[in-house]
Amino acid sequence: MIAFENAPPFAAPLRFFLTAPLFAVLAGLLVLFEGPDLFASRWMPATLAATHLITIGFMLQVMLGALIQIMPVVAGANLGHPLRVARILHAGLTLGCLLLSAGFYFSRPSLLIGAAWILGGALAVFLVAGARALIGVASTSPTIRGIKLALFGLFGLALLGVGMAFGIAGGWPLPFAGLTDLHAAWGLGAWGGILLAAVAYVVVPMFQLTPGYPAWSGWWFPPSVLGLALLWSLAVGIDAVILGRLAQAGLALAGMAFGIQTFRLQRQRRRARADVTYRYWQIGLGATLLALLQLLIVAIWPGAAELPGWSLAFGVLLVAGGYVSFIVGMLYKIIPFLAWMHLQNQGMAKVAAPNMNKLLPDLDMQRQLKAWGLTLLLLLAAIGWPDWLARPAGLALAASSGWLWLNLYGATRRYRHFGRDIDEKLAALP
Amino acid sequence: MTTIRTFMTDDHRHCDDLFAETEQAMAKNDFALAAASFSGFCTALLAHFDVEEKTLFPAFETKTGMSGGPTQVMRMEHLQMRGLLEDAKEALRTTNSEDYLGVAETLVIMMQQHNMKEENILYPMCDQHLAAESAVLIEQIEKELPAA
């Protein structure tokens, strides 16, 4: 029997969603504190630290928290003990990310090794639990297959990340520049890109009432991206430069095709209002397409990567402009909806739950969205004028992320308040 | 050949269309038009629930002996959506656009995730278990649904 209604308790995903913005605040404070030096190159200790505060502390936190929530619902894949897995994973990601960033920032090998053990261990727990849950599930939809392939991507990402942390700490003679690019390809492509697409196949039509993604694209995109990431890895392994550039170009084109398709579907949406989630996705798609254009240009003309600010612009566009925007856009729907659903169940059809806007007011989200737009512009401009704009960009990142936290925390606070209210009303019923 | 899945999925899309009409009217702040089109949407959606609860689900439950499973969850979600429909009507009646937007937002996600479960899990199960009687069943459902 397919597990039909096995949504995990709210506490399982919520801890991830409420921790994530705090890491983005920390990244902002680091930029504010370090100032222009952070924008000197992608290899600066503070830059590596800030990057991982966002990619692990923000992105990976939310992605894994969301997976714990959606795997039973969209794939019928039940993690044996969702709350226990959530606790271990959340603690591991939080501590591991802090150690890793501190290890980069203070150039302390012991911290990097500690972080590698903790992050590797936490991800291993999740991957084993996830694989066990998915093993008997047939890939009847592009989303289910996408999630399976994304977990493989996460495995590759973790393997490379842990290996490099040990390598840096131990001073192993590894080709770090090439490996870093490959690590990013697994993280932002084979893991992040595939997961984003797998989720988008469900949520883009659901949130905006758009037509569905065509079946061929849903079946082809995830395996193509994974195949290209494997090809890139092979190219790094056997030192085949042209093959690596081909894989890079392929990834850029596949990502652009997915992005353009999503743009077109969203333009056909049947919801009348351009809501905050829609705006966040439009920003995300625009930034992602620009970043992927950069990737394509570098595949054709590798010299472009040496242009001042090129790599930093790619990172800001894809990670902050793309992924963070997509994620926040989704959080703004998922958190109030889950809160409503849990309140609805709590009321047992006798006491009504307040609608989503009463849990997270639209105006709060609209204002935070503007702050995020300004943050992105400042981060991009700071690459060109670090002396003037690095610190304001850091301040904006901290402030807009703090605002996000306030909005999400406010929703959970109201959720608890309404929950008590419902309990009282239920008790008063004859 | 029409399957239960394709037939019922088409009816979901039909309900979505009517819902979208109300939203368009609300975007123009035309409460009268919105209320009129919302009532059409309600009729279609409630008819869809009815046909499931009175015809499709019982057929499935009788055949499989599964009455506490997926159909039970679907009935419960129908109940929740019926509540949201009442809230939305009330918001339209009192011309409270903020309340309407909040309820509509909740209703859209509720409806879409519900449809997804039916379309991807329950309807295929119906097609599988009710293969022999599906032609007759679809005909009966067609009769019970108001002409679109």
Side-chain angles (χ1 to χ4, degrees), chain A residues 34-113:
Chain A
E34 276 295 300
D37 287 352
L38 193 136
F39 288 85
S41 113
R42 65 189 282 212
W43 306 109
M44 298 297 284
T47 317
L48 290 167
T51 304
H52 287 86
L53 284 172
I54 297 285
T55 52
I56 298 179
F58 185 89
M59 281 172 56
L60 197 56
Q61 285 268 4
V62 179
M63 289 161 130
L64 293 178
L67 261 183
I68 289 176
Q69 173 67 36
I70 66 167
M71 273 174 42
V73 182
V74 303
N78 292 304
L79 295 169
H81 304 277
L83 209 51
R84 194 189 302 165
V85 172
R87 283 197 187 112
I88 296 172
L89 186 60
H90 175 256
L93 283 178
T94 303
L95 185 64
C97 181
L98 288 172
L99 288 181
L100 184 72
S101 303
F104 278 128
Y105 187 62
F106 300 109
S107 302
R108 291 278 290 275
S110 57
L111 293 178
L112 291 179
I113 289 175

Side-chain angles (χ1 to χ4, degrees), chain B:
Chain B
M1 199 196 89
T2 312
T3 58
I4 294 171
R5 183 185 191 176
T6 53
F7 186 86
M8 296 302 280
T9 300
D10 284 347
D11 199 48
H12 282 163
R13 295 295 90 79
H14 171 62
C15 293
D16 287 351
D17 290 339
L18 296 173
F19 175 82
E21 274 178 25
T22 311
E23 286 223 316
Q24 300 293 343
M26 282 302 287
K28 292 180 205 123
N29 250 328
D30 188 340
F31 275 96
L33 183 63
S37 80
F38 191 79
S39 119
F41 161 70
C42 275
T43 309
L45 191 65
L46 292 172
H48 183 92
F49 292 168
D50 273 351
V51 91
E52 287 184 337
E53 291 172 3
K54 289 177 186 155
T55 307
L56 182 61
F57 294 176
F60 175 82
E61 287 159 357
T62 315
K63 188 83 179 198
T64 60
M66 244 192 278
S67 55
T71 48
Q72 176 71 22
V73 179
M74 295 298 99
R75 285 174 203 271
M76 201 186 71
E77 293 192 353
H78 288 171
L79 190 67
Q80 296 178 341
M81 284 185 275
R82 284 191 170 100
L84 286 169
L85 291 179
E86 288 308 313
D87 293 349
K89 267 190 210 155
E90 179 61 18
L92 287 170
R93 199 182 60 78
T94 54
T95 60
N96 185 334
S97 60
E98 200 167 309
D99 266 4
Y100 177 78
L101 288 176
V103 176
E105 192 59 54
T106 318
L107 184 59
V108 164
I109 303 182
M110 185 68 209
M111 221 162 44
Q112 298 304 314
Q113 62 89 34
H114 174 83
N115 291 355
M116 198 175 71
K117 288 187 220 165
E118 289 189 336
E119 291 165 20
N120 296 336
I121 305 175
L122 183 61
Y123 296 159
M125 284 170 90
C126 288
D127 277 317
Q128 191 191 336
H129 292 286
L130 301 169
E133 47 272 74
S134 82
V136 182
L137 205 56
I138 291 172
E139 206 174 303
Q140 192 183 342
I141 291 172
E142 214 167 355
K143 258 186 241 151
E144 288 171 29
L145 285 177

